[in-house]
Amino acid sequence: MIAKEGVTILAQFFKKYKHGLIIVSYAVLYTLLFALLERRSVPAYHVVHTVFDDYIPFCEYFIVPYLLWFPYMFLAVAYFIFRNPDRREYYQLTWNLIMGMTIFLIVSYIYPNGHHLRPLSFARDNIFVDAVKRLYLTDTPTNILPSIHVFNSLAIHMAITSCRSLKNHRLVRASSLILTVLIILSTMFLKQHSFVDVSMGATLALAGYLIFYREKQSSYEREYQQERLRRHRRKKNTVI
């Protein structure tokens, strides 16, 4: 009896949140393809470097926002699956993320790239440097263009700022903006990405906005103007 009830509850759960399987399935596929990408051997790759990279110092403290990218992504996607009542907003975020991450995989497979920006030695020895060293061991300085850290952070922030249910949650929106900026900076201050990678990631995010969010923002602006007009008319009638 208990087992039957458990199966029923589980079936109801999947029925209610089956839309979340899209992004979860893609996340599994992306992880597998990225792992293969990191392990493949290529005869040569293009070295990404600009003069701006030489002026950006290494700072190990940026490991904190860099690692916060992971819970930021997870919690935001979970919110749009389980808590946000507007299903359309979930699909906007999902297709935007899938578009950007797929483009990254395609670029990486046909255009091997990497950088030589990582420091050979560290001026300090602390827990932040230790965390950076572990990051360097698990993440190679290849397949960096465009920066997925940058693109996904901006995609998540766009979804949060466009979300109706979070419209009046200024602290959430402000925190998202601050964290997004810090994550973007962290990719350069940790020497994980070049200025070019960051710029391309931001450009890809802008393309995602124009494709998935511009029309919706325009409709929100029309609704906002209409609501202002209705309030003005009610106020005018009250005065009369």
Side-chain angles (χ1 to χ4, degrees):
M1 189 69 173
I2 296 177
K4 186 177 180 180
E5 290 179 356
V7 171
T8 302
I9 293 173
L10 190 62
Q12 291 175 345
F13 176 84
F14 277 107
K15 183 178 180 180
K16 184 176 181 181
Y17 300 112
K18 61 182 179 181
H19 57 283
L21 290 175
I22 299 174
I23 191 63
V24 172
S25 300
Y26 182 82
V28 173
L29 176 63
Y30 173 85
T31 301
L32 292 174
L33 291 175
F34 182 73
L36 292 173
L37 184 66
E38 286 283 274
R39 285 169 173 76
R40 71 168 181 165
S41 59
V42 293
Y45 59 86
H46 176 77
V47 177
V48 181
H49 181 268
T50 70
V51 66
F52 299 107
D53 299 316
D54 299 329
Y55 290 100
I56 301 174
F58 170 83
C59 181
E60 70 270 22
Y61 302 113
F62 275 96
I63 190 65
V64 176
Y66 187 87
L67 294 179
L68 284 177
W69 177 82
F70 296 96
Y72 179 51
M73 282 283 301
F74 176 81
L75 292 174
V77 171
Y79 174 82
F80 280 90
I81 294 175
F82 299 110
R83 298 290 296 174
N84 186 32
D86 192 333
R87 192 70 57 82
R88 182 178 178 229
E89 292 178 344
Y90 160 78
Y91 285 115
Q92 282 180 306
L93 172 60
T94 296
W95 296 125
N96 192 19
L97 289 174
I98 289 176
M99 177 205 71
M101 296 167 78
T102 301
I103 289 175
F104 162 76
L105 289 173
I106 294 172
V107 171
S108 297
Y109 270 101
I110 66 177
Y111 181 64
N113 57 83
H115 68 67
H116 297 155
L117 300 174
R118 290 180 174 180
L120 299 176
S121 61
F122 300 92
R124 293 173 292 276
D125 185 15
N126 52 49
I127 59 172
F128 302 103
V129 171
D130 292 339
V132 173
K133 289 178 180 178
R134 286 193 291 270
L135 174 65
Y136 285 179
L137 287 174
T138 57
D139 188 15
T140 67
T142 58
N143 307 311
I144 57 174
L145 181 70
S147 170
I148 285 299
H149 252 67
V150 171
F151 169 78
N152 281 2
S153 298
L154 289 171
I156 290 294
H157 181 63
M158 286 189 294
I160 289 174
T161 55
S162 300
C163 180
R164 281 177 174 267
S165 60
L166 295 176
K167 185 177 181 180
N168 296 320
H169 291 71
R170 294 183 179 180
L171 180 60
V172 173
R173 293 155 65 98
S175 299
S176 174
L177 175 60
I178 293 171
L179 182 56
T180 296
V181 172
L182 288 175
I183 290 172
I184 293 173
L185 291 175
S186 74
T187 63
M188 294 181 287
F189 279 95
L190 291 179
K191 300 303 178 179
Q192 278 291 91
H193 286 281
S194 163
F195 181 80
V196 174
D197 316 329
V198 172
S199 300
M200 293 302 295
T203 301
L204 188 57
L206 175 60
Y209 171 79
L210 295 176
I211 295 171
F212 297 104
Y213 289 95
R214 187 178 182 182
E215 181 181 350
K216 182 176 181 180
Q217 288 299 109
S218 298
S219 66
Y220 280 0
E221 290 173 3
R222 287 194 296 270
E223 291 177 10
Y224 175 73
Q225 294 299 333
Q226 290 172 359
E227 179 62 24
R228 285 191 63 186
L229 181 60
R230 285 193 293 268
R231 289 179 181 177
H232 177 72
R233 288 174 177 173
R234 285 198 298 267
K235 184 177 180 181
K236 185 176 180 180
N237 292 334
T238 303
V239 172
I240 294 175

mmCIF file of all heavy atoms in Angstrom, residues 106-138:
data_model
loop_
_atom_site.group_PDB
_atom_site.id
_atom_site.type_symbol
_atom_site.label_atom_id
_atom_site.label_comp_id
_atom_site.label_asym_id
_atom_site.label_seq_id
_atom_site.Cartn_x
_atom_site.Cartn_y
_atom_site.Cartn_z
ATOM 1 N N ILE A 106 30.008 23.577 -30.534
ATOM 2 C CA ILE A 106 30.320 23.562 -31.963
ATOM 3 C C ILE A 106 31.615 24.320 -32.241
ATOM 4 O O ILE A 106 32.501 23.841 -32.964
ATOM 5 C CB ILE A 106 29.154 24.162 -32.774
ATOM 6 C CG1 ILE A 106 27.921 23.260 -32.671
ATOM 7 C CG2 ILE A 106 29.552 24.353 -34.237
ATOM 8 C CD1 ILE A 106 26.665 23.866 -33.285
ATOM 9 N N VAL A 107 31.729 25.519 -31.658
ATOM 10 C CA VAL A 107 32.941 26.325 -31.850
ATOM 11 C C VAL A 107 34.167 25.577 -31.343
ATOM 12 O O VAL A 107 35.215 25.534 -32.003
ATOM 13 C CB VAL A 107 32.808 27.687 -31.129
ATOM 14 C CG1 VAL A 107 34.144 28.424 -31.130
ATOM 15 C CG2 VAL A 107 31.742 28.540 -31.796
ATOM 16 N N SER A 108 34.053 24.959 -30.173
ATOM 17 C CA SER A 108 35.189 24.270 -29.578
ATOM 18 C C SER A 108 35.625 23.063 -30.400
ATOM 19 O O SER A 108 36.821 22.771 -30.498
ATOM 20 C CB SER A 108 34.841 23.824 -28.149
ATOM 21 O OG SER A 108 34.583 24.946 -27.327
ATOM 22 N N TYR A 109 34.664 22.359 -30.985
ATOM 23 C CA TYR A 109 35.007 21.165 -31.765
ATOM 24 C C TYR A 109 35.646 21.512 -33.107
ATOM 25 O O TYR A 109 36.547 20.814 -33.571
ATOM 26 C CB TYR A 109 33.760 20.300 -31.982
ATOM 27 C CG TYR A 109 33.549 19.276 -30.898
ATOM 28 C CD1 TYR A 109 32.614 19.482 -29.886
ATOM 29 C CD2 TYR A 109 34.293 18.105 -30.858
ATOM 30 C CE1 TYR A 109 32.431 18.550 -28.877
ATOM 31 C CE2 TYR A 109 34.118 17.166 -29.851
ATOM 32 C CZ TYR A 109 33.179 17.388 -28.867
ATOM 33 O OH TYR A 109 33.013 16.468 -27.860
ATOM 34 N N ILE A 110 35.184 22.596 -33.736
ATOM 35 C CA ILE A 110 35.717 22.922 -35.069
ATOM 36 C C ILE A 110 36.852 23.947 -35.006
ATOM 37 O O ILE A 110 37.576 24.128 -35.989
ATOM 38 C CB ILE A 110 34.603 23.448 -36.002
ATOM 39 C CG1 ILE A 110 34.054 24.786 -35.507
ATOM 40 C CG2 ILE A 110 33.494 22.430 -36.141
ATOM 41 C CD1 ILE A 110 33.013 25.402 -36.419
ATOM 42 N N TYR A 111 37.016 24.607 -33.860
ATOM 43 C CA TYR A 111 38.045 25.644 -33.727
ATOM 44 C C TYR A 111 38.755 25.479 -32.385
ATOM 45 O O TYR A 111 38.460 26.186 -31.426
ATOM 46 C CB TYR A 111 37.395 27.022 -33.833
ATOM 47 C CG TYR A 111 38.344 28.189 -33.736
ATOM 48 C CD1 TYR A 111 39.328 28.408 -34.701
ATOM 49 C CD2 TYR A 111 38.244 29.100 -32.677
ATOM 50 C CE1 TYR A 111 40.188 29.484 -34.612
ATOM 51 C CE2 TYR A 111 39.105 30.179 -32.581
ATOM 52 C CZ TYR A 111 40.074 30.367 -33.556
ATOM 53 O OH TYR A 111 40.937 31.441 -33.465
ATOM 54 N N PRO A 112 39.666 24.523 -32.267
ATOM 55 C CA PRO A 112 40.378 24.302 -31.002
ATOM 56 C C PRO A 112 41.062 25.583 -30.531
ATOM 57 O O PRO A 112 41.757 26.243 -31.306
ATOM 58 C CB PRO A 112 41.404 23.221 -31.365
ATOM 59 C CG PRO A 112 40.833 22.537 -32.558
ATOM 60 C CD PRO A 112 40.103 23.601 -33.330
ATOM 61 N N ASN A 113 40.864 25.924 -29.290
ATOM 62 C CA ASN A 113 41.419 27.177 -28.776
ATOM 63 C C ASN A 113 41.833 27.019 -27.320
ATOM 64 O O ASN A 113 41.409 26.102 -26.621
ATOM 65 C CB ASN A 113 40.406 28.317 -28.936
ATOM 66 C CG ASN A 113 39.087 27.994 -28.241
ATOM 67 O OD1 ASN A 113 38.941 28.186 -27.041
ATOM 68 N ND2 ASN A 113 38.113 27.486 -29.011
ATOM 69 N N GLY A 114 42.679 27.936 -26.868
ATOM 70 C CA GLY A 114 43.135 27.921 -25.488
ATOM 71 C C GLY A 114 43.943 29.165 -25.185
ATOM 72 O O GLY A 114 44.046 30.077 -26.024
ATOM 73 N N HIS A 115 44.516 29.247 -23.992
ATOM 74 C CA HIS A 115 45.329 30.415 -23.639
ATOM 75 C C HIS A 115 46.524 29.991 -22.790
ATOM 76 O O HIS A 115 46.578 28.872 -22.266
ATOM 77 C CB HIS A 115 44.494 31.470 -22.923
ATOM 78 C CG HIS A 115 44.012 31.059 -21.555
ATOM 79 N ND1 HIS A 115 44.858 30.854 -20.495
ATOM 80 C CD2 HIS A 115 42.763 30.824 -21.068
ATOM 81 C CE1 HIS A 115 44.178 30.528 -19.418
ATOM 82 N NE2 HIS A 115 42.895 30.474 -19.738
ATOM 83 N N HIS A 116 47.469 30.919 -22.639
ATOM 84 C CA HIS A 116 48.662 30.702 -21.816
ATOM 85 C C HIS A 116 48.736 31.765 -20.717
ATOM 86 O O HIS A 116 49.798 32.313 -20.435
ATOM 87 C CB HIS A 116 49.934 30.776 -22.683
ATOM 88 C CG HIS A 116 49.986 29.708 -23.736
ATOM 89 N ND1 HIS A 116 50.708 29.852 -24.905
ATOM 90 C CD2 HIS A 116 49.405 28.483 -23.795
ATOM 91 C CE1 HIS A 116 50.564 28.762 -25.651
ATOM 92 N NE2 HIS A 116 49.785 27.920 -24.996
ATOM 93 N N LEU A 117 47.615 32.063 -20.121
ATOM 94 C CA LEU A 117 47.537 33.171 -19.164
ATOM 95 C C LEU A 117 47.769 32.759 -17.716
ATOM 96 O O LEU A 117 48.037 33.613 -16.872
ATOM 97 C CB LEU A 117 46.156 33.849 -19.278
ATOM 98 C CG LEU A 117 45.789 34.441 -20.642
ATOM 99 C CD1 LEU A 117 44.347 34.945 -20.632
ATOM 100 C CD2 LEU A 117 46.740 35.571 -21.001
ATOM 101 N N ARG A 118 47.653 31.498 -17.407
ATOM 102 C CA ARG A 118 47.748 31.075 -16.011
ATOM 103 C C ARG A 118 49.139 31.327 -15.435
ATOM 104 O O ARG A 118 50.145 31.092 -16.103
ATOM 105 C CB ARG A 118 47.405 29.592 -15.895
ATOM 106 C CG ARG A 118 45.933 29.303 -16.135
ATOM 107 C CD ARG A 118 45.633 27.824 -16.007
ATOM 108 N NE ARG A 118 44.211 27.566 -16.106
ATOM 109 C CZ ARG A 118 43.658 26.350 -16.035
ATOM 110 N NH1 ARG A 118 44.436 25.299 -15.857
ATOM 111 N NH2 ARG A 118 42.354 26.204 -16.124
ATOM 112 N N PRO A 119 49.201 31.806 -14.200
ATOM 113 C CA PRO A 119 50.518 32.065 -13.578
ATOM 114 C C PRO A 119 51.268 30.765 -13.316
ATOM 115 O O PRO A 119 50.669 29.732 -12.986
ATOM 116 C CB PRO A 119 50.147 32.762 -12.266
ATOM 117 C CG PRO A 119 48.754 32.297 -11.969
ATOM 118 C CD PRO A 119 48.081 32.149 -13.296
ATOM 119 N N LEU A 120 52.593 30.818 -13.443
ATOM 120 C CA LEU A 120 53.424 29.646 -13.189
ATOM 121 C C LEU A 120 53.733 29.499 -11.699
ATOM 122 O O LEU A 120 54.066 28.407 -11.228
ATOM 123 C CB LEU A 120 54.723 29.750 -13.989
ATOM 124 C CG LEU A 120 54.548 29.810 -15.512
ATOM 125 C CD1 LEU A 120 55.898 30.002 -16.183
ATOM 126 C CD2 LEU A 120 53.862 28.551 -16.027
ATOM 127 N N SER A 121 53.637 30.598 -10.966
ATOM 128 C CA SER A 121 53.850 30.570 -9.518
ATOM 129 C C SER A 121 52.903 31.581 -8.873
ATOM 130 O O SER A 121 52.352 32.456 -9.551
ATOM 131 C CB SER A 121 55.302 30.901 -9.173
ATOM 132 O OG SER A 121 55.633 32.205 -9.635
ATOM 133 N N PHE A 122 52.734 31.458 -7.560
ATOM 134 C CA PHE A 122 51.800 32.319 -6.844
ATOM 135 C C PHE A 122 52.531 33.113 -5.769
ATOM 136 O O PHE A 122 53.392 32.571 -5.057
ATOM 137 C CB PHE A 122 50.684 31.482 -6.212
ATOM 138 C CG PHE A 122 49.879 30.694 -7.216
ATOM 139 C CD1 PHE A 122 50.245 29.390 -7.541
ATOM 140 C CD2 PHE A 122 48.792 31.258 -7.844
ATOM 141 C CE1 PHE A 122 49.516 28.658 -8.460
ATOM 142 C CE2 PHE A 122 48.055 30.543 -8.772
ATOM 143 C CZ PHE A 122 48.412 29.242 -9.085
ATOM 144 N N ALA A 123 52.174 34.383 -5.654
ATOM 145 C CA ALA A 123 52.847 35.270 -4.698
ATOM 146 C C ALA A 123 52.447 34.975 -3.264
ATOM 147 O O ALA A 123 53.183 35.286 -2.322
ATOM 148 C CB ALA A 123 52.535 36.732 -5.036
ATOM 149 N N ARG A 124 51.274 34.369 -3.076
ATOM 150 C CA ARG A 124 50.775 34.079 -1.729
ATOM 151 C C ARG A 124 50.422 32.601 -1.611
ATOM 152 O O ARG A 124 50.260 31.914 -2.617
ATOM 153 C CB ARG A 124 49.544 34.949 -1.418
ATOM 154 C CG ARG A 124 49.866 36.440 -1.299
ATOM 155 C CD ARG A 124 48.595 37.260 -1.159
ATOM 156 N NE ARG A 124 47.796 37.244 -2.386
ATOM 157 C CZ ARG A 124 48.000 38.050 -3.423
ATOM 158 N NH1 ARG A 124 48.992 38.931 -3.379
ATOM 159 N NH2 ARG A 124 47.232 37.984 -4.488
ATOM 160 N N ASP A 125 50.275 32.163 -0.367
ATOM 161 C CA ASP A 125 49.882 30.786 -0.096
ATOM 162 C C ASP A 125 48.737 30.811 0.909
ATOM 163 O O ASP A 125 48.957 31.071 2.102
ATOM 164 C CB ASP A 125 51.073 29.982 0.452
ATOM 165 C CG ASP A 125 50.725 28.509 0.617
ATOM 166 O OD1 ASP A 125 49.705 28.078 0.050
ATOM 167 O OD2 ASP A 125 51.472 27.801 1.322
ATOM 168 N N ASN A 126 47.526 30.589 0.441
ATOM 169 C CA ASN A 126 46.358 30.602 1.312
ATOM 170 C C ASN A 126 45.298 29.655 0.749
ATOM 171 O O ASN A 126 45.507 29.007 -0.281
ATOM 172 C CB ASN A 126 45.803 32.036 1.458
ATOM 173 C CG ASN A 126 45.565 32.697 0.106
ATOM 174 O OD1 ASN A 126 44.953 32.113 -0.792
ATOM 175 N ND2 ASN A 126 46.065 33.928 -0.056
ATOM 176 N N ILE A 127 44.161 29.574 1.422
ATOM 177 C CA ILE A 127 43.117 28.625 1.009
ATOM 178 C C ILE A 127 42.547 28.989 -0.364
ATOM 179 O O ILE A 127 42.087 28.107 -1.105
ATOM 180 C CB ILE A 127 41.984 28.548 2.047
ATOM 181 C CG1 ILE A 127 41.338 29.927 2.261
ATOM 182 C CG2 ILE A 127 42.497 27.987 3.358
ATOM 183 C CD1 ILE A 127 40.086 29.869 3.130
ATOM 184 N N PHE A 128 42.584 30.272 -0.699
ATOM 185 C CA PHE A 128 42.057 30.692 -2.002
ATOM 186 C C PHE A 128 42.982 30.237 -3.128
ATOM 187 O O PHE A 128 42.513 29.778 -4.174
ATOM 188 C CB PHE A 128 41.876 32.217 -2.016
ATOM 189 C CG PHE A 128 40.968 32.726 -0.947
ATOM 190 C CD1 PHE A 128 41.476 33.332 0.199
ATOM 191 C CD2 PHE A 128 39.589 32.589 -1.067
ATOM 192 C CE1 PHE A 128 40.636 33.797 1.189
ATOM 193 C CE2 PHE A 128 38.731 33.058 -0.073
ATOM 194 C CZ PHE A 128 39.262 33.656 1.060
ATOM 195 N N VAL A 129 44.273 30.356 -2.904
ATOM 196 C CA VAL A 129 45.245 29.871 -3.883
ATOM 197 C C VAL A 129 45.136 28.353 -4.027
ATOM 198 O O VAL A 129 45.205 27.815 -5.138
ATOM 199 C CB VAL A 129 46.677 30.277 -3.479
ATOM 200 C CG1 VAL A 129 47.705 29.572 -4.373
ATOM 201 C CG2 VAL A 129 46.856 31.787 -3.581
ATOM 202 N N ASP A 130 44.952 27.661 -2.894
ATOM 203 C CA ASP A 130 44.782 26.209 -2.948
ATOM 204 C C ASP A 130 43.566 25.835 -3.788
ATOM 205 O O ASP A 130 43.605 24.866 -4.560
ATOM 206 C CB ASP A 130 44.624 25.644 -1.535
ATOM 207 C CG ASP A 130 45.905 25.759 -0.725
ATOM 208 O OD1 ASP A 130 46.984 25.892 -1.336
ATOM 209 O OD2 ASP A 130 45.818 25.729 0.520
ATOM 210 N N ALA A 131 42.492 26.594 -3.638
ATOM 211 C CA ALA A 131 41.279 26.324 -4.417
ATOM 212 C C ALA A 131 41.527 26.563 -5.901
ATOM 213 O O ALA A 131 41.036 25.815 -6.757
ATOM 214 C CB ALA A 131 40.137 27.204 -3.919
ATOM 215 N N VAL A 132 42.291 27.614 -6.224
ATOM 216 C CA VAL A 132 42.622 27.898 -7.619
ATOM 217 C C VAL A 132 43.471 26.772 -8.207
ATOM 218 O O VAL A 132 43.253 26.350 -9.348
ATOM 219 C CB VAL A 132 43.366 29.245 -7.745
ATOM 220 C CG1 VAL A 132 43.854 29.463 -9.179
ATOM 221 C CG2 VAL A 132 42.455 30.400 -7.326
ATOM 222 N N LYS A 133 44.420 26.275 -7.431
ATOM 223 C CA LYS A 133 45.264 25.178 -7.898
ATOM 224 C C LYS A 133 44.436 23.940 -8.221
ATOM 225 O O LYS A 133 44.664 23.258 -9.229
ATOM 226 C CB LYS A 133 46.320 24.827 -6.845
ATOM 227 C CG LYS A 133 47.411 25.883 -6.678
ATOM 228 C CD LYS A 133 48.392 25.474 -5.585
ATOM 229 C CE LYS A 133 49.489 26.517 -5.410
ATOM 230 N NZ LYS A 133 50.442 26.151 -4.316
ATOM 231 N N ARG A 134 43.456 23.650 -7.365
ATOM 232 C CA ARG A 134 42.574 22.501 -7.622
ATOM 233 C C ARG A 134 41.743 22.732 -8.869
ATOM 234 O O ARG A 134 41.502 21.813 -9.658
ATOM 235 C CB ARG A 134 41.681 22.247 -6.406
ATOM 236 C CG ARG A 134 42.408 21.619 -5.227
ATOM 237 C CD ARG A 134 41.424 21.098 -4.191
ATOM 238 N NE ARG A 134 40.738 22.199 -3.515
ATOM 239 C CZ ARG A 134 41.180 22.774 -2.417
ATOM 240 N NH1 ARG A 134 42.327 22.370 -1.865
ATOM 241 N NH2 ARG A 134 40.500 23.750 -1.850
ATOM 242 N N LEU A 135 41.313 23.982 -9.066
ATOM 243 C CA LEU A 135 40.556 24.323 -10.269
ATOM 244 C C LEU A 135 41.397 24.109 -11.509
ATOM 245 O O LEU A 135 40.921 23.533 -12.507
ATOM 246 C CB LEU A 135 40.092 25.786 -10.194
ATOM 247 C CG LEU A 135 39.403 26.346 -11.447
ATOM 248 C CD1 LEU A 135 38.090 25.616 -11.708
ATOM 249 C CD2 LEU A 135 39.166 27.845 -11.303
ATOM 250 N N TYR A 136 42.641 24.551 -11.473
ATOM 251 C CA TYR A 136 43.545 24.389 -12.606
ATOM 252 C C TYR A 136 43.780 22.914 -12.946
ATOM 253 O O TYR A 136 43.963 22.553 -14.107
ATOM 254 C CB TYR A 136 44.880 25.064 -12.313
ATOM 255 C CG TYR A 136 44.866 26.583 -12.406
ATOM 256 C CD1 TYR A 136 46.014 27.331 -12.145
ATOM 257 C CD2 TYR A 136 43.711 27.274 -12.756
ATOM 258 C CE1 TYR A 136 46.021 28.715 -12.224
ATOM 259 C CE2 TYR A 136 43.702 28.658 -12.836
ATOM 260 C CZ TYR A 136 44.864 29.376 -12.561
ATOM 261 O OH TYR A 136 44.849 30.749 -12.660
ATOM 262 N N LEU A 137 43.791 22.064 -11.911
ATOM 263 C CA LEU A 137 44.023 20.642 -12.136
ATOM 264 C C LEU A 137 42.839 19.969 -12.822
ATOM 265 O O LEU A 137 43.008 19.018 -13.585
ATOM 266 C CB LEU A 137 44.313 19.942 -10.799
ATOM 267 C CG LEU A 137 45.678 20.220 -10.163
ATOM 268 C CD1 LEU A 137 45.756 19.576 -8.784
ATOM 269 C CD2 LEU A 137 46.807 19.702 -11.060
ATOM 270 N N THR A 138 41.641 20.457 -12.517
ATOM 271 C CA THR A 138 40.434 19.813 -13.054
ATOM 272 C C THR A 138 39.929 20.456 -14.336
ATOM 273 O O THR A 138 39.142 19.851 -15.063
ATOM 274 C CB THR A 138 39.302 19.849 -12.007
ATOM 275 O OG1 THR A 138 39.040 21.212 -11.630
ATOM 276 C CG2 THR A 138 39.698 19.063 -10.763
#
